[in-house]
Amino acid sequence: MNPFSSGTRLRDMIRAIRACKTAAEERAVVRKECAAIRTSMNENDQDYRHRNLAKLMFIHMLGYPTHFGQMECLKLIASAGFPEKRIGYLGLMLLLDERQEVLMLVTNSLKQDLNHSNQYIVGLALCALGNICSAEMARDLAPEVERLLQFRDPNVRKKAALCTIRIIKKVPDLSENFINPAAALLKEKHHGVLITGIQLCTDLCKVSPEALEFLRKKHTDGLVKTLRDAVNSPYTPEYDISGIADPFLHIRLLKLLRVLGQGDADASDAMNDILAQVATKTESNKNAGNAILYECVETIMSIEDNGGLRVLAINILGRFLSNRDNNIRYVALNMLMKAITVDAQAVQRHRATILECVKDSDASIQKRALELVYVLVNETNVKPLTKELIDYLEVSDQEFKGELTAKICSIIEKFSPEKNWYIDQMLKVLNKAGNFVKDEVWHALIAVISSASDLHGYTVRALYKAFQTSSEQESLVRVAVWCIGEYGDMLVNNVGMLDIEDPITVTESDTVDVVKIAIKHHALDLTTKAMALIALLKLSSRFPSCSERIKDIIVQHKGSFVLELQQRSLEFNSIIEKHQNIRSALVERMPILDDGTFSTRRAGSLPAAASTSSGASLNLPNGVAKPSAAPLVDLLDLSDDLPAPSSSGGDFLQDLLGIDLSPAPTQSGIGQIQKAGTDVLLDLLSIGTPVQSSSPTTDILSSSQNGKSPIATLDALSSPSSLSAQATSSARAVPMMDLLDGFGPSPLKPEDNGSVYPPLVAFQSSSLRITFNFSKQPGNPQTTLIQATFINLTPNVFTDFIFQAAVPKFLQLHLDPASSNILPASGNGSITQNLRVTNSQHGKLKLQENTIPAPLISSEVHSSYTKSISTETAFYDGDL
């Protein structure tokens, strides 16, 4: 016989497929077998049709396409014999689903078989309908199924009940037709029919309020009697499982009673006694008994209030927690999570057992128990529970430490009775699992420490001790260096000693050593080292005797490959060496951070501020009015920063540096710097209107040295061009052109009559200054003439000098040749170049110089004294 003919037996095909050693060989065997089956179908072979379909089902289970055999299923279903129908219905359930249009062709065959005289064929049709029934088939065949619910054979009634469940799920509107037949099944003596009838009634109650009310009023007592008989029934070998008579019937009855008792006090009262009997008489040493107890507990917790029953149910769950089976313990923890919302006091009695589950070796039980403990915590038990969790934190698994740490920190923050206890517990967490603490946690701790002024000394001493033993915990190191930088003098002088403390001796040198260790530690990240550098800068002011040593530590990072550390090192070293007069103001202690504002920032951002009628200020939640941010501040996304502690110094630089930049009262002989509405950042960047001043530069510097106006000193240090502008400005402010299109006061706009704009220093650094002179031709307002002047401020000669510019499409740019390509050194000459910009959208779009990048050094030629330089600029729409 051909091994791949239609006459090949199923077992031979299975043996051939299993003998394949590779996937390619298996595909070849399946492909040849499918070809032989298709040939047999085309020849309409009646003898082997059922065998071919059996092969197709096996091939389908292997994952190969078998759609070409769907019509064979319908042909076999239409056959008269039971064997053919059995294979046909099996193929129908396996190869098709309710979405297939072919199912419309089988509805008539199903209807005929549901009315067949052979009960086994009727059973086949019910099985198929219960598996693949669609909404259309349910409406067509519902009357036949309803009739079969009263069939003489119990197996047919059982299958009809299961088929009805699918019908009412597909078409809930048909549920009212099945209420009475389903209720009649609740009186069955056959356990199989009774279980299916109970399940049908449960599903009817979920989809039909009428069915729920009917069963609640008419059959609650009958169900209670059936459950009592099942509990008290003698030994029956047919239904006995582990010494319990039919636990499946127990569970189905308890589920239906739970549905009937929810929201109905009368039904709940009727079942209280039997539920108590089930809870007390059921053995818990077998898995079947535990299943019944679990369903009983869930029913008790779902029906209307009965305090005694609920305590009994929670005690059963407490026994489950002591079971050796992990599945039972996990189920008990899940159930206790639901029970705590109903009777938290009863769950609290099992707190010790739940805490032991947190220490379990099973990860899923650990997590679920931790979630339950978190819910159990309140103001009365927060201290013992936190102590237990922190003690376990040290020995817990690394995989579990992160989640455990997060929960502990959340508990401490939520239920802390006092700041002293909060700080102590957070330091314990940082000491044992600081590397697992999230940033917002130690940020919040710093905010609390800042606001607890009477605990500053205690906290910095506790952190100093913790650092000696746990310097590898990064979050602990960050909080420690911050506190030492702020309150290092309190550490040395033992300020604010509490009764619970033992005095310690710490020198200024010891304090500096701690911060030095933090900087030197190779495992700590950039943030920690940057915070340590700031702490050193602050200590240099608090400990003048260690200033030189601190400077030496800071200078070590001026050659760091990390730009942030390098910049901080250079700037801080400059402050220590050259700016002693402003250092103390720069490194003053941080102002107390308002807890409410800090919590709002942690939530994401400050709430939307309500604008006043004049639009001059923003109303913040804490009642502090902050002036509207300058446009450049909005551009840099700094307008949502916190308000300054003092309303008089309410610019963002004061918030940024955390120092008081408000000008001192004016004294005679000292000029007062007026800022004409310009933000401090605009001064730092030399952008905006020039400062009006009637005093020379010497007055500005002398006022800074006399402690009068730190703002002037900072501006002078940060922006040379700003200082020169202050020194040369007259009493009358000269309007400057609006470089940033509205950032700052609006410039004066001359008429298009040939007026000349004032010159603009477009760019200035230590190496190059670029000045633009603007003019317009009379009668040609759309064209702007720009003369660029380049001056070399270095002692080196620049050769091959190139100036490049770019404009958007609506502008036309013409560059004349530069006067030279060699830029003399030290300002002993200049290069000029003319630009002509034509605005085709004059009156609609504006001309604006948007940005002038720093000079780009492209190459070096000839010698170290001669360099090639290329500058670039770009023009965008703005006002000129």
Side-chain angles (χ1 to χ4, degrees), residues 8-28:
T8 306
R9 293 181 300 178
L10 175 63
R11 70 181 66 178
D12 295 331
M13 186 195 72
I14 294 174
R15 189 177 294 115
I17 290 176
R18 288 182 175 174
C20 297
K21 296 181 179 180
T22 63
E25 291 180 16
E26 179 184 297
R27 289 193 295 269

Side-chain angles (χ1 to χ4, degrees), residues 216-273:
R216 182 178 282 163
K217 290 183 177 180
K218 302 290 185 182
H219 293 276
T220 300
D221 295 335
L223 290 169
V224 170
K225 182 179 182 301
T226 303
L227 180 57
R228 183 177 289 110
D229 293 342
V231 172
N232 298 323
S233 64
Y235 173 74
T236 308
E238 184 180 358
Y239 304 119
D240 184 82
I241 298 177
S242 300
I244 299 175
D246 203 348
F248 299 102
L249 179 60
H250 284 74
I251 290 171
R252 294 294 178 187
L253 282 167
L254 288 169
K255 286 185 175 180
L256 180 54
L257 289 174
R258 178 163 71 244
V259 173
L260 297 178
Q262 280 180 336
D264 189 277
D266 294 336
S268 300
D269 290 339
M271 62 184 74
N272 280 341
D273 293 341

Side-chain angles (χ1 to χ4, degrees), residues 677-695:
T678 306
D679 194 275
V680 175
L681 183 63
L682 302 183
D683 285 344
L684 287 175
L685 300 179
S686 299
I687 298 175
T689 58
V691 178
Q692 298 180 12
S693 176
S694 58
S695 60

Side-chain angles (χ1 to χ4, degrees), residues 128 136 423 633 718 736 748 757 780-781 793 827 847 860 868 876:
E136 293 77 10
I423 292 172
V633 181
S718 303
M736 294 181 66
L748 298 176
Y757 285 82
N780 190 11
L793 304 178
L847 173 65
E860 295 187 4
S868 171
Y876 296 97

Side-chain angles (χ1 to χ4, degrees), residues 53-119:
L53 187 56
K55 293 178 185 178
L56 281 178
M57 285 189 283
F58 183 79
I59 293 171
H60 173 79
M61 287 188 289
L62 292 177
Y64 294 96
T66 55
H67 54 276
F68 57 87
Q70 293 175 352
M71 293 304 298
E72 292 298 298
C73 298
L74 304 186
K75 293 177 182 178
L76 285 173
I77 289 172
S79 301
F82 175 77
E84 289 80 8
K85 283 183 178 291
R86 182 177 62 177
I87 293 294
Y89 277 120
L90 181 60
L92 183 73
M93 290 183 285
L94 192 62
L95 303 181
L96 285 82
D97 57 43
E98 60 181 274
R99 298 185 298 272
Q100 302 287 341
E101 296 182 359
V102 180
L103 280 182
M104 293 188 301
L105 304 176
V106 80
T107 303
N108 191 49
S109 297
L110 279 170
K111 190 168 187 176
Q112 292 177 2
D113 290 341
L114 288 174
N115 294 306
H116 203 280
S117 58
N118 188 334
Q119 64 181 15

Side-chain angles (χ1 to χ4, degrees), residues 402 405-406 409 430 434-443 475 478:
T405 302
C409 293
L430 294 178
N435 292 333
F436 296 90
V437 172
K438 296 181 179 178
D439 287 349
E440 55 265 23
V441 174
W442 65 266
H443 292 170
S475 295
R478 290 177 179 177

